[in-house]
Amino acid sequence: MDYKHLAELLLPHIHTTPEEIEARYPKRELPEGAKVTRMGPSPTGFMHLGNLYGALVDERLAHQSGGVFYLRIEDTDKKREVEGGVQTIIEAFSSFCLPFDEGATLEGDNGAYGPYRQSQRAEIYQTFVKSLIERGMAYPCFCTEEELAAAHAEQEKNKENFGYYGKYAVWRDRPMEDIEAELKKGTPYVVRFRSEGSIENKIRHEDLVKGKMEVTENDQDVVILKSDGIPTYHFAHVVDDHLMGTTVVVRGEEWLATLPVHLQLFRAMGWKAPKYAHTAQLMKLDPETGGKRKLSKRKDPELALTFYEQQGYPVPAVLEYLMTLLNSNFEEWRRANPDLPMNDFPFSTKKMSGSGALFDIEKLHDVSKNVISRMSADTVYDYIAAWSEQNDKPFHDLLTRDPAFSKAYLAIGRGGKKPRKDLALWSDAKGYMDFMFDELFQPDYTMPERVSAEDAKAILADFAGVFCETDTPDEFFEKMKQIADKHGYASDTKAYKANPEQYKGAVGDVSMVVRVAVAGRQNAPDLQTVMGILGRDKVLERLDRCAKAL
């Protein structure tokens, strides 16, 4: 077989050589140990939690080591591509604050190793395919879909491995005359890699997550160039990762089955393969069966990244929660370093679990409360303002009407060793703040059960007479104790507990009456601080309104 003649027949328009392509992509000049990672999503219009999960590993490995994290759009499958898919990808990662050093952007490419869209790299792939054909390591296959289906059926009947190999690789050693005859007829064809592997052989491999393993050698003649001249993922990512200098490939463990193919292709090309890190799948407990299962696009709205924006999950909280799934020692580190940025955590693939990571949305809520509690009032205000502008415009208008007023309320209970943890989502803010705005104030005047309506009115009248908006919480409570004594309630809670029959109730019941009148509910932050923010006139107005309603 004249392989050079075959290569010219199949790819006559390719005049570049592998050496010329290599010269366009010089070796990166980076510090020793620096890692180069990439995110390579397909523009299908759906960005999911698994994308972010893997991208966080990519970003940490690259930036912790002084390396490069880049975005490559893997758009070789035009059937799955949707309009606006690239924009969806770029905006999703931008919203989660994952900083790419180079790669595809909405304006084009940023970086010296592009194009960063695989659909624009056809000449590059075809140059290397032509080289493989010239070396007798690839060949055209003219099988129809019907012929491949018939072979699959025979393999199923004989209980054989599925695929294109052995006697089923019918175009592997066909003479030149047969190939030329099909080309003259214009028969569509693909180019397949000629595998010299055997399933009798094992390959030793060390994965950064799974550790040492043995995988069965690939014996399949996989397609490397489709009939439209665009490569398959298998070949495209091998070429791109080599030329772009990728040192670590992070991907889901579902890709482990194709690892032998990829390692084989790297060897055939004479290139050093990157290290692979196959991450565990994201699992959840199925509420119906109680068992574990993969997160599902159809069943689980929390799989979509858009879910977190719509619900108002803070981006830092989602990233912190994912880090708890990625590294088993992150929570211990966070407890010891509550105020340090997450990026100070020494991330390691050695601390990643090789089995399924269990996603728990309730745990995410807890993490989110902790993350928000450590933020300043200004930061919380900015986040809520940005979220509500997109998702709740009427509330946004109230919140931003007087920023100082809103920030003063959000500052209550912040700082210190035990900050308040009222918010898990930005969408919680409206319910947490609603009583501060007359437009949202819908009071529930349910009083403590030990306080009669008559006593409640009297307590409110007495408090209105002594209220001072500049009182400290201690001064406020002292007034509560005086009013309690006046109306037969114990000013000392311990005294009430010792002899409850001697009192109508305790001072806590009295202060709760005022809280219900001012906030319209029994659960609200420090009341004296709230009243100071509302102002004297508003407090007196609410005391009067409640008394009239009783």
Side-chain angles (χ1 to χ4, degrees):
M1 174 72 75
D2 185 344
Y3 292 121
K4 285 191 177 294
H5 175 60
L6 177 59
E8 279 302 316
L9 279 178
L10 298 177
L11 296 164
H13 60 287
I14 294 297
H15 304 295
T16 50
T17 66
E19 292 74 22
E20 289 170 338
I21 298 293
E22 294 267 10
R24 298 180 197 172
Y25 296 89
K27 185 177 179 181
R28 293 178 182 272
E29 294 184 9
L30 294 169
E32 186 176 350
K35 296 177 175 63
V36 179
T37 63
R38 47 80 169 169
M39 191 63 203
S42 300
T44 59
F46 181 70
M47 291 299 291
H48 56 80
L49 199 62
N51 296 130
L52 184 61
Y53 185 68
L56 186 54
V57 180
D58 281 315
E59 188 275 332
R60 286 290 77 214
L61 289 177
H63 291 154
Q64 266 190 182
S65 64
V68 175
F69 174 43
Y70 70 92
L71 174 64
R72 185 171 74 218
I73 304 298
E74 300 192 344
D75 55 352
T76 59
D77 189 346
K78 293 300 178 183
K79 292 178 182 176
R80 296 178 64 229
E81 185 172 345
V82 301
E83 187 176 351
V86 174
Q87 182 174 346
T88 298
I89 290 168
I90 292 171
E91 289 179 348
F93 287 124
S94 176
S95 68
F96 280 93
C97 305
L98 286 180
F100 291 107
D101 301 300
E102 62 185 52
T105 72
L106 292 177
E107 293 74 36
D109 281 349
N110 169 40
Y113 290 80
Y116 294 94
R117 291 167 172 80
Q118 289 185 333
S119 60
Q120 298 174 10
R121 298 171 63 84
E123 178 205 26
I124 295 170
Y125 305 128
Q126 291 174 13
T127 297
F128 288 108
V129 169
K130 189 171 185 177
S131 172
L132 286 173
I133 297 170
E134 288 175 345
R135 291 186 283 148
M137 301 177 74
Y139 62 90
C141 170
F142 297 89
C143 284
T144 64
E145 291 294 328
E146 291 75 18
E147 288 170 333
L148 293 173
H152 185 94
E154 184 178 346
Q155 290 165 345
E156 187 172 32
K157 177 183 174 184
N158 297 336
K159 296 183 179 179
E160 297 172 302
N161 289 335
F162 295 126
Y164 198 89
Y165 64 94
K167 68 177 184 179
Y168 298 106
V170 295
W171 279 94
R172 181 182 172 105
D173 296 310
R174 293 287 272 271
M176 183 70 80
E177 307 88 75
D178 290 1
I179 294 172
E180 289 178 331
E182 294 299 327
L183 290 174
K184 284 178 182 177
K185 289 191 290 186
T187 305
Y189 66 91
V190 298
V191 176
R192 291 182 180 274
F193 173 70
R194 185 189 297 272
S195 172
E196 298 298 332
S198 167
I199 58 172
E200 302 300 320
N201 298 333
K202 296 288 184 181
I203 304 169
R204 289 182 179 177
H205 174 73
E206 184 160 2
D207 189 84
L208 292 179
V209 176
K210 303 291 184 182
K212 293 180 179 180
M213 59 174 62
E214 283 192 344
V215 293
T216 302
E217 196 172 46
N218 172 61
D219 70 338
Q220 304 275 333
D221 287 3
V222 296
V223 175
I224 56 175
L225 199 68
K226 295 179 284 188
S227 58
D228 59 1
I230 298 297
T232 57
Y233 165 78
H234 301 304
F235 191 67
H237 103 274
V238 165
V239 172
D240 291 343
D241 284 337
H242 167 68
L243 295 177
M244 295 178 180
T246 308
T247 63
V248 180
V249 171
V250 179
R251 60 187 187 182
E253 63 185 1
E254 65 272 16
W255 287 101
L256 268 173
T258 62
L259 180 63
V261 174
H262 302 151
L263 295 177
Q264 191 177 56
L265 286 170
F266 272 107
R267 284 199 304 273
M269 299 303 297
W271 298 333
K272 180 183 178 181
K275 294 185 181 299
Y276 284 89
H278 289 89
T279 59
Q281 292 181 329
L282 287 172
M283 313 287 283
K284 74 174 291 185
L285 290 177
D286 191 307
E288 296 176 7
T289 66
K292 294 180 182 179
R293 63 166 172 79
K294 282 171 53 179
L295 282 171
S296 159
K297 180 178 178 180
R298 183 173 57 86
K299 294 182 178 180
D300 305 311
E302 65 268 31
L303 183 61
L305 289 186
T306 51
F307 169 84
Y308 299 93
E309 160 61 20
Q310 291 163 358
Q311 297 295 313
Y313 283 90
V315 165
V318 177
L319 295 178
E320 283 226 359
Y321 176 63
L322 289 180
M323 190 58 77
T324 69
L325 298 180
L326 286 167
N327 263 199
S328 56
N329 59 329
F330 177 73
E331 289 182 84
E332 180 183 351
W333 177 88
R334 172 51 79 203
R335 284 192 293 271
N337 304 278
D339 300 317
L340 289 182
M342 186 187 81
N343 287 351
D344 283 9
F345 169 68
F347 174 80
S348 171
T349 53
K350 293 178 181 178
K351 292 292 186 179
M352 292 175 67
S353 170
S355 56
L358 191 61
F359 181 83
D360 180 354
I361 203 156
E362 293 304 318
K363 178 70 176 294
L364 170 57
H365 275 232
D366 290 341
V367 170
S368 190
K369 286 181 179 180
N370 287 330
V371 168
I372 294 174
S373 74
R374 296 195 298 268
M375 293 178 179
S376 68
D378 283 356
T379 300
V380 173
Y381 171 83
D382 289 342
Y383 270 121
I384 297 172
W387 180 86
S388 60
E389 186 173 22
Q390 297 297 320
N391 297 279
D392 190 343
K393 195 63 168 64
F395 176 60
H396 172 81
D397 292 342
L398 291 174
L399 177 79
T400 58
R401 182 172 61 194
D402 183 348
F405 175 88
S406 296
K407 289 177 183 179
Y409 178 76
L410 292 169
I412 299 175
R414 293 204 167 272
K417 292 184 177 181
K418 291 187 177 182
R420 291 185 64 89
K421 298 179 181 180
D422 301 280
L423 303 176
L425 311 172
W426 304 131
S427 51
D428 293 340
K430 184 176 183 177
Y432 176 58
M433 300 180 72
D434 56 2
F435 74 90
M436 297 295 289
F437 305 103
D438 285 345
E439 294 87 343
L440 301 177
F441 187 54
Q442 294 182 319
D444 174 4
Y445 290 138
T446 301
M447 291 293 170
E449 59 182 49
R450 291 192 289 261
V451 181
S452 67
E454 204 71 24
D455 279 355
K457 289 180 184 180
I459 290 167
L460 292 175
D462 285 351
F463 179 69
V466 297
F467 169 63
C468 177
E469 60 188 299
T470 60
D471 277 349
T472 64
D474 287 343
E475 289 169 337
F476 163 74
F477 193 62
E478 188 59 39
K479 290 176 179 178
M480 290 294 97
K481 290 166 71 173
Q482 292 171 8
I483 294 173
D485 283 336
K486 178 179 177 181
H487 294 283
Y489 294 82
S491 58
D492 182 345
T493 304
K494 290 181 180 179
Y496 173 74
K497 288 181 177 179
N499 299 289
E501 69 283 352
Q502 295 182 14
Y503 305 95
K504 295 179 180 177
V507 65
D509 297 312
V510 174
S511 60
M512 183 60 73
V513 170
V514 177
R515 183 181 299 273
V516 168
V518 174
R521 59 196 191 199
Q522 295 191 7
N523 184 23
D526 180 73
L527 188 58
Q528 181 60 32
T529 307
V530 165
M531 291 188 294
I533 297 167
L534 286 172
R536 179 175 180 80
D537 291 345
K538 182 60 62 182
V539 171
L540 294 178
E541 176 190 314
R542 289 196 175 181
L543 295 175
D544 182 61
R545 175 176 172 174
C546 177
K548 289 177 178 176
L550 293 175

Coordinates of all heavy atoms in Angstrom, one line a residue, residues 170-200:
V170 N -13.7 -4.0 8.5 CA -13.7 -4.5 7.1 C -12.9 -3.6 6.1 O -12.6 -4.1 5.0 CB -15.2 -4.7 6.6 CG1 -15.9 -5.8 7.3 CG2 -16.0 -3.4 6.7
W171 N -12.7 -2.4 6.5 CA -11.9 -1.5 5.6 C -10.5 -1.4 6.0 O -9.7 -0.6 5.4 CB -12.6 -0.1 5.5 CG -13.7 -0.2 4.5 CD1 -15.0 -0.4 4.8 CD2 -13.6 0.0 3.1 NE1 -15.8 -0.3 3.6 CE2 -15.0 -0.1 2.6 CE3 -12.6 0.2 2.2 CZ2 -15.2 0.0 1.2 CZ3 -12.9 0.3 0.8 CH2 -14.2 0.2 0.4
R172 N -10.1 -2.1 7.0 CA -8.7 -1.9 7.6 C -7.6 -2.2 6.6 O -6.6 -1.5 6.5 CB -8.6 -2.8 8.8 CG -7.2 -2.7 9.5 CD -7.2 -3.6 10.7 NE -5.9 -3.7 11.4 CZ -5.6 -3.1 12.5 NH1 -6.4 -2.4 13.2 NH2 -4.3 -3.3 13.0
D173 N -7.8 -3.3 5.8 CA -6.7 -3.7 4.9 C -7.2 -3.9 3.5 O -6.7 -4.7 2.7 CB -6.1 -5.1 5.4 CG -5.5 -4.9 6.8 OD1 -4.6 -4.0 6.9 OD2 -5.8 -5.7 7.7
R174 N -8.2 -3.1 3.1 CA -8.7 -3.1 1.7 C -7.6 -2.6 0.8 O -6.9 -1.6 1.1 CB -10.0 -2.3 1.6 CG -11.1 -2.9 2.4 CD -11.7 -4.2 1.8 NE -12.7 -3.9 0.8 CZ -14.0 -3.8 1.1 NH1 -14.4 -3.9 2.3 NH2 -14.9 -3.4 0.2
P175 N -7.6 -3.2 -0.4 CA -6.6 -2.7 -1.4 C -7.0 -1.3 -1.9 O -8.1 -0.8 -1.8 CB -6.8 -3.7 -2.6 CG -8.1 -4.3 -2.4 CD -8.4 -4.3 -0.9
M176 N -5.9 -0.6 -2.5 CA -6.1 0.7 -3.0 C -7.2 0.8 -4.0 O -7.9 1.8 -4.1 CB -4.8 1.2 -3.6 CG -4.8 2.7 -4.1 SD -4.9 3.8 -2.7 CE -3.2 3.8 -2.2
E177 N -7.4 -0.2 -4.9 CA -8.4 -0.2 -5.9 C -9.8 0.0 -5.4 O -10.6 0.8 -5.9 CB -8.3 -1.4 -6.8 CG -7.0 -1.8 -7.4 CD -6.2 -2.7 -6.4 OE1 -6.5 -3.9 -6.3 OE2 -5.3 -2.1 -5.8
D178 N -10.1 -0.7 -4.2 CA -11.4 -0.6 -3.6 C -11.6 0.8 -3.1 O -12.7 1.4 -3.2 CB -11.5 -1.6 -2.5 CG -11.6 -3.0 -2.9 OD1 -11.5 -3.2 -4.2 OD2 -11.7 -3.9 -2.1
I179 N -10.6 1.4 -2.5 CA -10.7 2.7 -1.9 C -10.9 3.8 -3.0 O -11.8 4.6 -2.9 CB -9.4 3.1 -1.1 CG1 -9.3 2.2 0.1 CG2 -9.4 4.6 -0.7 CD1 -8.0 2.3 0.9
E180 N -10.1 3.6 -4.1 CA -10.2 4.6 -5.2 C -11.6 4.5 -5.9 O -12.2 5.5 -6.3 CB -9.1 4.3 -6.2 CG -7.7 4.8 -5.7 CD -6.6 4.5 -6.7 OE1 -6.8 3.5 -7.5 OE2 -5.6 5.2 -6.7
A181 N -12.1 3.3 -6.0 CA -13.4 3.1 -6.6 C -14.5 3.8 -5.8 O -15.4 4.5 -6.3 CB -13.8 1.6 -6.7
E182 N -14.4 3.7 -4.4 CA -15.4 4.4 -3.6 C -15.3 5.9 -3.7 O -16.2 6.7 -3.7 CB -15.3 3.9 -2.1 CG -15.7 2.5 -1.9 CD -17.1 2.1 -2.3 OE1 -18.0 3.0 -2.1 OE2 -17.3 1.0 -2.8
L183 N -14.0 6.4 -3.7 CA -13.8 7.8 -3.8 C -14.3 8.4 -5.1 O -14.9 9.5 -5.2 CB -12.3 8.1 -3.7 CG -11.6 7.9 -2.3 CD1 -10.1 8.1 -2.4 CD2 -12.2 8.9 -1.3
K184 N -14.2 7.6 -6.2 CA -14.7 8.0 -7.5 C -16.2 8.1 -7.5 O -16.8 9.0 -8.2 CB -14.3 7.1 -8.6 CG -12.8 7.2 -9.0 CD -12.4 6.2 -10.1 CE -10.9 6.3 -10.4 NZ -10.5 5.3 -11.4
K185 N -16.8 7.2 -6.8 CA -18.3 7.3 -6.7 C -18.8 8.4 -5.7 O -20.0 8.7 -5.7 CB -18.8 5.9 -6.1 CG -18.7 4.8 -7.1 CD -19.5 3.5 -6.6 CE -18.8 2.9 -5.5 NZ -19.5 1.6 -5.1
G186 N -17.9 9.0 -5.0 CA -18.2 10.0 -4.0 C -18.8 9.5 -2.8 O -19.6 10.2 -2.1
T187 N -18.5 8.3 -2.4 CA -19.1 7.6 -1.2 C -18.5 8.3 0.0 O -17.3 8.5 0.1 CB -18.7 6.1 -1.2 OG1 -19.1 5.5 -2.4 CG2 -19.4 5.5 0.1
P188 N -19.3 8.8 1.0 CA -18.8 9.4 2.2 C -18.0 8.4 3.0 O -18.2 7.2 3.0 CB -20.1 9.7 3.0 CG -21.2 9.7 1.9 CD -20.8 8.7 0.9
Y189 N -17.0 8.9 3.7 CA -16.1 8.1 4.5 C -15.7 8.8 5.7 O -15.7 10.0 5.8 CB -14.9 7.6 3.7 CG -14.0 8.7 3.3 CD1 -12.9 9.1 4.1 CD2 -14.2 9.5 2.1 CE1 -12.1 10.1 3.8 CE2 -13.3 10.5 1.8 CZ -12.3 10.8 2.6 OH -11.4 11.9 2.3
V190 N -15.2 8.0 6.7 CA -14.5 8.5 7.9 C -13.1 8.0 7.9 O -12.8 7.1 7.1 CB -15.2 8.1 9.2 CG1 -16.7 8.6 9.2 CG2 -15.2 6.6 9.3
V191 N -12.3 8.6 8.7 CA -10.9 8.1 8.8 C -10.8 7.5 10.2 O -11.2 8.1 11.2 CB -9.8 9.2 8.7 CG1 -8.4 8.7 8.9 CG2 -9.9 9.8 7.3
R192 N -10.3 6.2 10.2 CA -10.1 5.5 11.5 C -8.7 5.3 11.8 O -7.8 5.2 10.9 CB -10.8 4.1 11.4 CG -12.3 4.2 11.3 CD -12.9 2.8 11.2 NE -14.4 2.8 11.2 CZ -15.2 2.8 12.2 NH1 -14.7 2.9 13.4 NH2 -16.5 2.9 12.1
F193 N -8.4 5.3 13.1 CA -7.0 5.0 13.6 C -6.8 3.5 13.6 O -7.7 2.8 14.0 CB -6.9 5.6 15.0 CG -5.7 5.2 15.7 CD1 -4.4 5.8 15.3 CD2 -5.7 4.3 16.8 CE1 -3.3 5.4 16.0 CE2 -4.5 4.0 17.4 CZ -3.3 4.5 17.0
R194 N -5.7 3.1 13.1 CA -5.4 1.7 13.0 C -4.7 1.3 14.4 O -3.6 1.5 14.6 CB -4.4 1.4 11.9 CG -4.1 -0.1 11.6 CD -2.9 -0.2 10.6 NE -3.3 0.3 9.3 CZ -3.9 -0.4 8.4 NH1 -4.3 -1.6 8.6 NH2 -4.2 0.2 7.2
S195 N -5.5 0.6 15.2 CA -5.0 0.2 16.5 C -4.2 -1.1 16.4 O -4.6 -2.0 15.7 CB -6.2 0.0 17.5 OG -5.7 -0.6 18.7
E196 N -3.1 -1.1 17.1 CA -2.3 -2.3 17.2 C -2.4 -2.9 18.6 O -1.7 -3.8 19.0 CB -0.8 -1.9 17.0 CG -0.5 -1.3 15.6 CD -0.8 -2.3 14.4 OE1 -0.8 -3.5 14.7 OE2 -1.1 -1.8 13.3
G197 N -3.5 -2.5 19.3 CA -3.7 -2.9 20.7 C -4.4 -4.3 20.7 O -5.0 -4.7 19.7
S198 N -4.4 -4.9 21.9 CA -5.1 -6.1 22.1 C -5.7 -6.1 23.5 O -5.1 -5.6 24.5 CB -4.1 -7.3 22.1 OG -4.7 -8.5 22.6
I199 N -6.9 -6.6 23.6 CA -7.6 -6.7 24.9 C -7.0 -7.7 25.8 O -7.3 -7.8 27.0 CB -9.1 -7.0 24.8 CG1 -9.3 -8.3 24.0 CG2 -9.9 -5.9 24.0 CD1 -10.8 -8.8 24.0
E200 N -6.0 -8.4 25.3 CA -5.2 -9.3 26.2 C -4.2 -8.6 27.0 O -3.7 -9.1 28.0 CB -4.5 -10.4 25.3 CG -5.5 -11.2 24.5 CD -6.5 -12.0 25.3 OE1 -6.1 -12.5 26.4 OE2 -7.6 -12.0 24.9

